[in-house]
Amino acid sequence: MKIIASQFTPASIDCNECPIKHRAVCAYCEKSEMALLEAMKSYKTYAAGDPIIFAGDKMAFVGSVVFGVARLSQTMEDGRKQMVGLLLPSDFVGRPGRAYSAFDVEATTEVTLCRFERKPFEKLLRDIPNLRERMLEMALDELDAAREWMLLLGRKTAREKIASLLTIIARRQNILPDAAKNEVSFDLSLTREAMSEYLGLTLETVSRQINALRKDGVIKLEKKRHVIVNDFARLLEETGDDADGGFLA
Amino acid sequence: MKIIASQFTPASIDCNECPIKHRAVCAYCEKSEMALLEAMKSYKTYAAGDPIIFAGDKMAFVGSVVFGVARLSQTMEDGRKQMVGLLLPSDFVGRPGRAYSAFDVEATTEVTLCRFERKPFEKLLRDIPNLRERMLEMALDELDAAREWMLLLGRKTAREKIASLLTIIARRQNILPDAAKNEVSFDLSLTREAMSEYLGLTLETVSRQINALRKDGVIKLEKKRHVIVNDFARLLEETGDDADGGFLA
DNA sequence: CAAAAAAATTGACTTAGATCAAGGTCACAT
DNA sequence: ATGTGACCTTGATCTAAGTCAATTTTTTTG
């Protein structure tokens, strides 16, 4: 499997020794715990749609996404399903100290995880202060994201939800609008159904609202999954968020 | 101000030196940083309904709730409002490293905060490994709570939302049902409006659903804000959650 | 390439919860 | 005790999004 640099977020720390550049790993390198880490590390690739772990299953591993998109979700007995985390490269999977998964984790596209056995990882977490610091940073970032997501789920209209999801995906792929052109284009790596699970809607409503935004000239579509936004500011207006919004510095 | 022990969650660590027992403080005591801490610490009490900080305001302090109930919320330009955090005694307020608040914080009942200046607190966070560990634990717990909340907001019916909120409040007040009696009773320290902000509903719907649960014999009401649950298992069924649910070990 | 499967769209109809509009209760301050 | 304002309830009506049911488009695969 070939891994190309552009798939990693700019938050990645550059690390010469480490063949795979992603945040959780490189944070330790500073402490030259490489040997230990290298011994623990293993990679596993899952096909699109495959389950990675089910809620209640034993969590032998923690790790992080190095390639692809995964999702964290919760399912009710009658089948109602809510996504509660969208995992892109550099995102962490699992909770140190927790033996059984609280959520379902599924591969949305093909996904490669860099995995560590949980027990030795927890020891490292105790021994390496930098790693703990990094984990805290990541947990707090996720908490902020979860809280914005709660506003979306509790108070936004279907159209605002779709517009918000599009801006979230665009931002997370670091396709910032070119200040001059103000135009962006990106792939939705989610099916309409996955979007509906993210947004707390039905897939029919997702389809209708995407097409409404298209008819209103806010977005263009190519092959159903590729979005072109001519006027990013216009899309931002459709999210219902504050004009300055989401700077969370 | 007199503070009585029963107002603190059992998660509190006992600490002889510290006059106020709450988790964030006592974690440091282990490292005998008491002198430094004592110098930094200040208490402030807010009346019910008072704003503690507005989104975008400068955050000079971080701290934790020692008494009362506060809430974290987000407001859209047109006034739609979503609660994103319910802060009970021992809960942390603010994010180390962040200069401006991302959310509104308001006192729901009368609230006392134990506050630390942010900058020196951040230094402590760098110097005291235990404190960082404690903060990580707390952030991960909040993240789990946020994810359950997302399921509630995205997929539950109004009746399930109310039943869920009641069980959440009962649990957070540690009013576990007596195994023999299976009956609990507790105070809702939230108005119908605050409940609607928590649940992503209108206050009319909250009122109707609370009264529907009452008519159906799931709960009894005393003075509008005091709830008596004769059969806690029955209430749990009404939440829509798995029978075993929410053990998140 | 054709057939089958998967994903997406579109239409007709229903419904849970929102909205709008009175009233009723309760705490407490004069 | 009584009046004022905050809080809550209840009813009538509306509507955004859900549900059910085809149909079309895209992708996969034999």
Side-chain angles (χ1 to χ4, degrees):
Chain A
M1 225 216 89
K2 195 157 183 311
I3 289 162
I4 31 173
S6 69
Q7 285 157 347
F8 301 102
T9 75
S12 296
I13 294 161
D14 233 306
C15 162
N16 295 324
E17 296 139 293
C18 178
I20 306 290
K21 302 178 183 187
H22 57 113
R23 298 188 301 183
V25 169
C26 296
Y28 334 144
C29 303
E30 297 173 30
K31 284 283 155 185
S32 18
E33 303 273 352
M34 273 313 285
L36 191 54
L37 261 179
E38 283 298 331
M40 289 166 55
K41 214 157 67 170
S42 72
Y43 296 93
K44 186 162 179 187
T45 298
Y46 302 81
D50 279 5
I52 295 173
I53 194 161
F54 291 105
D57 282 1
K58 200 145 192 148
M59 284 286 279
F61 296 91
V62 297
S64 60
V65 176
V66 292
F67 175 81
V69 180
R71 63 198 204 261
L72 217 62
S73 43
Q74 270 184 296
T75 309
M76 293 170 70
E77 279 164 342
D78 61 5
R80 280 175 284 172
K81 196 168 173 183
Q82 178 63 51
M83 205 192 293
V84 297
L86 184 63
L87 305 173
L88 302 187
S90 92
D91 284 335
F92 195 80
V93 181
R95 173 170 173 169
R98 169 164 296 160
Y100 299 92
S101 178
F103 307 102
D104 296 320
V105 185
E106 295 161 275
T108 293
T109 63
E110 185 184 79
V111 169
T112 302
L113 293 187
C114 168
R115 310 188 312 171
F116 301 91
E117 281 179 56
R118 190 169 56 80
K119 284 289 180 194
F121 186 88
E122 284 165 12
K123 185 180 175 339
L124 279 191
L125 197 58
R126 258 174 272 120
D127 297 343
I128 308 175
N130 274 334
L131 178 53
R132 212 152 43 205
E133 197 168 1
R134 191 81 267 285
M135 293 289 293
L136 177 57
E137 250 343 274
M138 284 169 63
L140 292 173
D141 284 346
E142 278 196 85
L143 194 52
D144 283 333
R147 284 171 168 160
E148 284 207 52
W149 201 337
M150 283 167 52
L151 175 66
L152 177 150
L153 290 171
R155 295 302 183 193
K156 290 191 177 179
T157 64
R159 172 184 264 244
E160 289 169 339
K161 285 177 175 183
I162 296 289
S164 300
L165 177 58
L166 295 181
T167 64
I168 288 165
I169 291 175
R171 261 201 283 260
R172 295 252 281 173
Q173 297 188 356
N174 288 295
I175 301 162
L176 306 165
D178 181 333
K181 297 192 1 249
N182 198 24
E183 172 179 319
V184 298
S185 110
F186 52 91
D187 278 307
L188 253 28
S189 38
L190 304 175
T191 63
R192 300 291 188 258
E193 183 174 43
M195 290 188 244
S196 77
E197 287 169 10
Y198 188 110
L199 300 171
L201 297 170
T202 60
L203 67 90
E204 292 94 330
T205 297
V206 169
S207 177
R208 279 189 251 267
Q209 294 298 331
I210 286 180
N211 285 301
L213 287 175
R214 189 176 49 69
K215 278 171 196 151
D216 295 348
V218 182
I219 59 172
K220 282 178 191 163
L221 283 179
E222 222 166 65
K223 292 170 82 265
K224 305 289 184 201
R225 299 273 190 93
H226 191 81
V227 178
I228 298 155
V229 182
N230 280 303
D231 183 354
F232 200 77
R234 172 74 200 286
L235 181 62
L236 280 172
E237 278 169 33
E238 296 281 358
T239 64
D241 295 328
D242 292 13
D244 53 331
F247 61 108
L248 292 180
Chain B
M1 226 217 88
K2 197 162 182 311
I3 288 163
I4 31 174
S6 69
Q7 285 158 345
F8 301 102
T9 73
S12 296
I13 294 160
D14 234 305
C15 162
N16 296 325
E17 296 137 294
C18 178
I20 307 289
K21 301 179 184 186
H22 56 114
R23 297 188 299 183
V25 170
C26 295
Y28 334 143
C29 303
E30 298 173 29
K31 283 283 151 182
S32 17
E33 303 275 349
M34 273 313 284
L36 190 53
L37 260 178
E38 284 298 332
M40 287 166 54
K41 212 157 70 171
S42 74
Y43 295 93
K44 186 162 176 184
T45 298
Y46 301 82
D50 278 5
I52 295 173
I53 194 160
F54 291 105
D57 281 1
K58 198 142 191 150
M59 285 286 279
F61 296 92
V62 296
S64 60
V65 176
V66 292
F67 175 81
V69 181
R71 61 197 203 262
L72 216 62
S73 43
Q74 269 184 299
T75 310
M76 293 171 70
E77 280 164 341
D78 62 5
R80 279 174 285 172
K81 197 169 172 181
Q82 177 63 52
M83 205 191 295
V84 297
L86 184 63
L87 305 173
L88 302 187
S90 92
D91 283 336
F92 194 81
V93 181
R95 173 170 173 169
R98 168 165 298 163
Y100 300 92
S101 178
F103 307 102
D104 296 319
V105 185
E106 295 161 274
T108 292
T109 63
E110 185 184 80
V111 169
T112 302
L113 293 188
C114 168
R115 309 187 314 169
F116 301 90
E117 280 178 57
R118 189 169 55 80
K119 284 291 180 191
F121 185 87
E122 284 166 12
K123 185 179 174 341
L124 279 190
L125 196 58
R126 259 174 271 121
D127 297 344
I128 307 173
N130 274 333
L131 178 53
R132 213 151 42 202
E133 197 166 1
R134 193 79 268 284
M135 292 289 292
L136 177 58
E137 247 347 271
M138 286 170 61
L140 292 174
D141 285 346
E142 277 196 84
L143 194 52
D144 283 333
R147 284 170 169 162
E148 285 207 52
W149 202 335
M150 283 167 52
L151 175 66
L152 177 150
L153 291 171
R155 296 300 183 194
K156 290 190 176 179
T157 64
R159 171 184 264 244
E160 288 169 339
K161 285 177 175 183
I162 295 288
S164 301
L165 177 57
L166 296 181
T167 63
I168 288 165
I169 291 176
R171 261 201 284 257
R172 295 252 283 174
Q173 295 189 356
N174 287 297
I175 303 162
L176 305 166
D178 181 333
K181 298 192 1 254
N182 197 24
E183 172 179 319
V184 297
S185 111
F186 52 92
D187 277 307
L188 253 27
S189 40
L190 304 175
T191 63
R192 301 290 187 258
E193 184 175 43
M195 289 188 244
S196 77
E197 287 169 10
Y198 187 111
L199 301 172
L201 298 170
T202 59
L203 67 91
E204 293 94 331
T205 297
V206 168
S207 178
R208 279 188 252 266
Q209 294 298 332
I210 286 179
N211 285 302
L213 286 174
R214 189 176 50 68
K215 279 171 197 152
D216 295 347
V218 182
I219 59 172
K220 283 179 192 161
L221 283 179
E222 222 167 65
K223 293 169 82 268
K224 304 292 182 197
R225 298 275 190 93
H226 191 81
V227 178
I228 298 154
V229 182
N230 279 304
D231 183 353
F232 199 77
R234 171 74 199 285
L235 181 62
L236 280 173
E237 278 169 34
E238 295 281 357
T239 64
D241 294 328
D242 291 14
D244 53 334
F247 62 106
L248 291 181

